Amino acid sequence: MAPFYFQVSVPTRNLVQPEQQGLHVLTGPAETGAEAVRIARRTCEAALAAQAAGVAVPPRGPDGWGARGTRPGWAFDWANATVVSWECDSFLRSYGAGTRPRADGAVAR
């Protein structure tokens, strides 16, 4: 497991109705913030391709990343993505094995 767990928050907008905006949040392990953004982007692109092909998108891949809830017709603003990291060792000491931080700051068990 990588030493850090990252949250990548990506602004989104509806291409048909640009006034509709949102934020897509992805989480998973990586060595650096830059790597986390690369993995998040790859994960989103794979999820969108699966949706376009009519294939179910798994909740998480073997690498610990997943992109559920992606919306066709929405653009991701990767240039303005933000990254927050948690050090896994300190996170696990605080919350125990088998847990992970959720995007809303709560802990999934």
Side-chain angles (χ1 to χ4, degrees):
M1 179 156 115
F4 292 96
Y5 200 90
F6 289 88
Q7 172 183 312
V8 178
S9 301
V10 188
T12 61
R13 74 179 184 295
N14 186 319
L15 294 174
V16 176
Q17 299 174 329
E19 68 279 0
Q20 291 184 343
Q21 299 178 7
L23 190 67
H24 198 91
V25 178
L26 301 101
T27 60
E31 295 289 333
T32 66
E35 180 185 41
V37 172
R38 279 193 304 277
I39 294 169
R41 187 170 190 165
R42 181 189 70 219
T43 301
C44 278
E45 290 170 355
L48 289 169
Q51 284 178 336
V55 176
V57 179
R60 282 195 191 275
D63 63 359
W65 290 82
R68 302 281 301 201
T70 53
R71 298 177 185 178
W74 284 67
F76 288 80
D77 183 1
W78 290 102
N80 288 306
T82 59
V83 180
V84 176
S85 69
W86 294 278
E87 187 176 354
C88 287
D89 289 343
S90 63
F91 178 81
L92 292 175
R93 277 194 303 277
S94 297
Y95 297 104
T99 60
R100 64 183 188 277
R102 291 190 337 209
D104 62 5
V107 176
R109 297 189 186 271

